Amino acid sequence: MPVPEYLRAHYWWAYIHPKAVRFFERQWLVNLILWGNYNRLRSAVLEQFSRPLTGRTLQVACAYGDITPLMVNRMDASARLDVVDILPVQLGNLAAKIGPHPQVDLHCMNSAEMAFADGSFDQVLSFFLLHEQPAEVRRKTLSEAVRVLKPGGRLIVLDYSKPHWRNPLRYLWKPILKKLEPFAGDLFDQGLTEWLPKQVGLTTELSQSTFGGLFQLVVLRRSPD
Ligand SMILES: C[S@@+](CC[C@H](N)C(=O)[O-])C[C@H]1O[C@@H](n2cnc3c(N)ncnc32)[C@H](O)[C@@H]1O
């Protein structure tokens, strides 16, 4: 699977470099990068899933930290989890974290072009992926995430957003992010709806911001056909 140019150019240090996984796969470091919010954000996402987790779930792209192992621990006997990532090294890291599991499948795929049939999943999760993608890729990823959702299924997105005007990070963090993560500023400038597909009915069930607006949790439901 060819590695997209934006990953090679801007995220080699975080995901591709041979030492990246060993360096970044530390809960405390991920927490530090998220200004101490990792547990809170992860719990807010997990709360959006039924407990036990039922049905078929897709996680679009691996993530450092324990969000995926915790999802796996919550699955009931008939639930299934599919995780997509474009980098075999990241899928290997996830496989090491969760171990072999008969209800979990890992796929080396591009989020912008996923090989799943339409309407395959009850829920799709995008956890801190969209800010890493250029606008066109982000648009395709969201279009694919919605396409593979069953009618009535839910898309759960956690990512950066524009901090409130009183939050100093609004002025400090954007220039830093711009250097390290050049596409993240898009999420400061525009709401998610900008990149959502227009031809499919989606209802916003939740749109919540935390930490002075720096992070957003958005839950969308695909209209039943
Ligand atoms: C989901 S984000 C998570 C970032 C966050 N810092 C974390 O680890 O919690 C990072 C992952 O997205 C993957 N990724 C980026 N672009 C992708 C694409 N087009 N298709 C599939 N995976 C992609 C990267 O390989 C990486 O494993």
Side-chain angles (χ1 to χ4, degrees):
M1 180 69 46
V3 177
E5 184 46 34
Y6 68 88
L7 267 189
R8 272 194 200 291
H10 304 292
Y11 287 100
W12 58 269
W13 52 275
Y15 306 121
I16 300 175
H17 191 280
K19 293 193 176 147
V21 167
R22 198 144 34 102
F23 183 76
F24 282 103
E25 189 55 84
R26 296 161 208 253
Q27 196 92 5
W28 67 265
L29 183 56
V30 180
N31 191 38
L32 190 71
I33 293 166
L34 297 177
W35 298 90
N37 287 278
Y38 182 79
N39 286 355
R40 189 176 0 158
L41 296 171
R42 179 203 57 201
S43 300
V45 167
L46 292 175
E47 269 172 32
Q48 294 309 315
F49 296 114
S50 62
R51 195 164 183 177
L53 178 56
T54 55
R56 193 169 177 202
T57 304
L58 170 65
Q59 182 183 343
V60 189
C62 296
Y64 292 130
D66 62 2
I67 190 162
T68 315
L70 287 176
M71 283 164 70
V72 172
N73 286 346
R74 287 168 179 224
M75 284 165 57
D76 80 357
S78 63
R80 298 207 59 82
L81 174 67
D82 292 86
V83 183
V84 154
D85 203 285
I86 197 127
L87 295 175
V89 64
Q90 293 295 329
L91 292 164
N93 180 46
L94 180 59
K97 284 195 285 185
I98 56 182
H101 196 296
Q103 293 163 252
V104 180
D105 287 309
L106 310 185
H107 311 264
C108 190
M109 273 185 205
N110 191 332
S111 62
E113 206 178 340
M114 294 191 278
F116 298 113
D118 295 359
S120 298
F121 295 94
D122 298 285
Q123 50 238 339
V124 174
L125 169 65
S126 165
F127 186 76
F128 281 110
L129 170 66
L130 300 175
H131 74 278
E132 295 184 351
Q133 300 190 317
E136 250 339 280
V137 182
R138 185 181 310 127
R139 207 180 293 285
K140 286 185 186 155
T141 292
L142 283 170
S143 167
E144 282 291 272
V146 171
R147 178 185 68 76
V148 301
L149 259 189
K150 290 179 184 167
R154 295 160 87 226
L155 170 62
I156 298 154
V157 176
L158 190 96
D159 224 303
Y160 287 106
S161 65
K162 186 180 195 166
H164 305 147
W165 67 270
R166 274 183 302 192
N167 185 341
L169 292 175
R170 176 164 169 150
Y171 314 99
L172 293 173
W173 195 223
K174 191 174 176 182
I176 296 172
L177 269 186
K178 199 170 178 177
K179 273 233 164 304
L180 288 174
E181 308 203 66
F183 313 109
D186 292 358
L187 297 183
F188 278 49
D189 298 333
Q190 278 154 317
L192 263 198
T193 36
E194 174 64 25
W195 300 285
L196 285 169
K198 306 286 181 269
Q199 63 281 18
V200 183
L202 289 169
T203 310
T204 305
E205 290 202 331
L206 179 75
S207 179
Q208 204 175 62
S209 65
T210 52
F211 203 58
L214 183 63
F215 306 109
Q216 60 181 323
L217 171 62
V218 178
V219 180
L220 301 153
R221 190 179 288 277
R222 184 175 172 168
S223 345
D225 281 345

